[in-house]
Each structure stands twice: as structure tokens, then as C-alpha cells.
Amino acid sequence: DEAALLEQFDATLAADHRIEPRDWMPEGYRKTLIRQVAQHAHSEIIGMQPEGDWLLAAPSLRRKSVLLAKVQDEAGHGMYLYSAAETLGADRADLTDKLVEQKQKYSSIFNYPTLSYADVGVIGWLVDGAAICNQVPLCRSSYGPYARAMIRICKEESFHQRQGYELLMTMMRGTDEQRAMVQDAVDRWWWPTLMMFGPPDEHSPNTAQSMAWGIKRHTNDELRQKFVDMSVPQAEVLGVTFPDPELEFDPETGHYRFGKLDWEEFKRVVGGQGPMNAIRLARRRAARDDNAWVTEAATAYARKHEGAVA
Ligand code: 3HC
């Protein structure tokens, strides 16, 4: 009966074991996982666009091939995560429709424009750095397929961050114009990157339950703070500053204090009014509609040859 099943579910979580697709789980657990995993997948796929814009304008063949590898990785991350969502009974075509119809979200960070090539380096360093901060704990998420997808994704993410930081180091050893380009990109991406971690804990409707279910292992503010603490020394080595006059080390707490985030901007961007939301969704809709014939052909072929595969 349900009470015994719930007891078994709770015992699995208490023992820090993993819930697997065939295990019984509370409907709310399944629902919130599909919500988070699907939106994580949407973020990876939409996240291909900002840097994708620089593929044809990369300054060298090496930079172009590294960037191409990263953008392709993001597509793969999306695929792992849509596959993890499918183990929960979701359907990826349906999830894509929900994304395009704005019934599901994707990370706010991808709604900002990539105005110069330095943005490619800053996205690698800061955005993928923030993603690592957020995704490493998810490797211990209580849902098996999600945690295992994260392990593979985090390995690739560290390459993404390193190539971005190395790109910026090269530019910082260049001309004054290049140094100014890097600082301008840092100024534009710093605050939106802090918003990636989600609303403040006291305004996070999902955190408490997600922590109780072991889906999340840290709160939004804990991970945001960890990211600020790790980024300040990296900025110093790079020779750039963050656009926050209140950023200061607090010897009492051992953490950096930082200024207030603009949660009105966050709400606008998450609500679809960011600088690039319309373009990002229009491109995703076009990719779905223009390539529908490929999906139909592949599905028809598979059906015709069902069972024929040795
Ligand atoms: N952008 C858009 N929506 C956001 C958001 C953001 N930065 N932060 C929070 N939200 C949404 C939440 O989805 C939730 O809405 P919903 O209930 O409709 O889903 C609402 O705001 C309230 O936020 P909560 O804190 O209550 O929600 P969560 O507990 O789900 O926490 C989260 C939000 C921290 C993003 C969590 O969902 C999470 O850890 N997700 C997995 C990681 C992820 O999605 N990262 C996004 C970036 S992917 C990426 O960086 C790719 C890399 O390769 C560059």
C-alpha cells in the first residue's frame, strides 16, 4: 500500500541512495523533477545560441574549433537531460512545445546579447563557472538518471570554463582595446550571472521541498555566495574588476559581501521581457518547425524497419 511505498521511498533518501526510474515515487517528486530537468535541458539548448553567433567570426581556426566543440557539447547536455526527463515519463517533443509556447522556462542568462568576442570568454569563465557551481552538487541528486547525467556534464563543463578563462588571459596580454573589451564584457555579464542561481532563498518556492527530497543539495544563496567567493580571486589574476562597489572580503565570515541584485530585472527576463527572449524563442521555434520533416522521416523509417534491426 501507499504508506509502505512512501516509507521505502523515505528510507532510500535517508540512506542517501538513489531513486531509479522503476522505483515508486510521490507524484510531487516526479513533477518537480520533470520541471527542473526539462528546464535544465531547455537552458542547454537555448544556451547554444549566444555563443553560436560567434562561430563564423572567431578570430582563428583554433578558437573556432574550440567554440564549435563547446556549442556541440551544450547540445549533448540537452540530450542527456531530455533523456533523463523521459525516464520520468515526459516526452521530449512535448517538452520542446512547452518551451516554445513559454509554458516552461530556461535560464535567464541566455537572454542577454553577446556584443563582442570577449563575451565568448566571459561566458566560458563566468556562466559556465556558475553552472559548475550549481551542477556539481546535482551529481549527488537523489534521482539516479539526473545525477549520472550531471557527472558527464560537469566533466565537459570544466573544459568550457577553462577555454573561456584562457581566451580572456590571452586578450588581457594583448592591446588596451582588447583589455577594454574584456572589462566591458565582465561589466555586462556579472550581475546576470549571479541571477542564474535563482531568487533569494526567502523567495524560492521550490528550494525547501527540493532540499527535503535531496534533489537540491544547497540553497540558491549558498551556491551564489560560493560562486562569488571563487570568482573574485580569479578576476584579480585576470586583471579585471566586477561592477560592484560593495564587493568586499569580510574576515568575520570568510566570505565576500556583495551588492543587491536587481530582482525586478530578473522577473522581467524570466517573464520573457529580457533583451533577447523573443529572438531566442523564435529561433528555437523555427528549428522545431523547419526540421519537423527530418523527425517525421526518421520516425517513419524506424517504424518501417521496426524489428528489422539485427
Ligand atoms: N532563469 C529562469 N528561471 C529561473 C531562474 C533562472 N536563472 N532561477 C529560478 N528560476 C525559476 C524556477 O524555475 C522557478 O520557476 P518554476 O517553478 O516555474 O520552475 C522559479 O524561478 C522560482 O525559483 P526556485 O528557486 O524556487 O526554483 P528551483 O528550486 O528550481 O531553483 C534553479 C532554480 C537553481 C535554476 C534550479 O532549478 C536548478 O538548479 N536547475 C538545474 C540547473 C540549471 O538549470 N541551470 C541553468 C543553467 S544551464 C547552464 O548553465 C548550461 C551551461 O552549459 C552554460
Side-chain angles (χ1 to χ4, degrees), residues 147-166:
R148 290 188 291 272
M150 277 301 112
I151 294 169
R152 169 74 185 270
I153 286 174
C154 285
K155 286 195 173 83
E156 293 173 345
E157 214 70 271
S158 49
F159 148 69
H160 297 173
Q161 201 219 16
R162 211 154 300 141
Q163 65 79 34
Y165 197 72
E166 188 266 337

Side-chain angles (χ1 to χ4, degrees), residues 2 5-6 9-10 19-36 85 87-90 143 206 209-210 213 215:
E2 181 131 330
L5 290 166
L6 184 58
F9 173 81
D10 288 340
I19 302 295
E20 295 298 337
R22 289 189 184 80
D23 293 343
W24 180 88
M25 61 186 84
E27 254 332 282
Y29 180 83
R30 180 187 305 279
K31 210 161 143 267
T32 203
L33 265 171
I34 289 176
R35 171 190 66 83
Q36 175 163 333
T87 67
L88 290 159
Y143 186 60
N206 297 297
Q209 184 59 69
S210 288
W213 274 333
I215 295 169

Side-chain angles (χ1 to χ4, degrees), residues 32 35-37 39-45 47 51 70 73-74 77 81 103-111 123 127-132 134-135 138 146 150 153 157 160 192-201 203-208 210 216 219-220 223 263 266 269-270:
T32 203
R35 171 190 66 83
Q36 175 163 333
V37 177
Q39 293 181 152
H40 197 161
H42 296 333
S43 303
E44 302 282 2
I45 297 300
E51 290 166 306
K70 175 179 192 300
D73 279 352
E74 309 297 6
H77 296 176
L81 289 163
K103 291 193 187 107
Q104 279 186 332
K105 299 177 168 78
Y106 60 94
S107 187
S108 50
I109 191 67
F110 298 122
N111 290 309
I123 288 175
V127 173
D128 287 75
I132 290 170
N134 162 287
Q135 290 170 161
L138 290 171
Y146 191 29
M150 277 301 112
I153 286 174
E157 214 70 271
H160 297 173
T193 300
L194 296 190
M195 293 179 196
M196 278 173 76
F197 292 94
D201 293 349
H203 298 131
S204 165
N206 297 297
T207 289
S210 288
K216 252 178 166 175
T219 70
N220 299 353
L223 291 176
W263 295 111
F266 175 75
V269 177
V270 174

Side-chain angles (χ1 to χ4, degrees), residues 261-273:
L261 279 76
D262 179 351
W263 295 111
E264 288 317 305
E265 175 181 331
F266 175 75
K267 279 195 205 112
R268 271 198 314 279
V269 177
V270 174
Q273 310 310 319

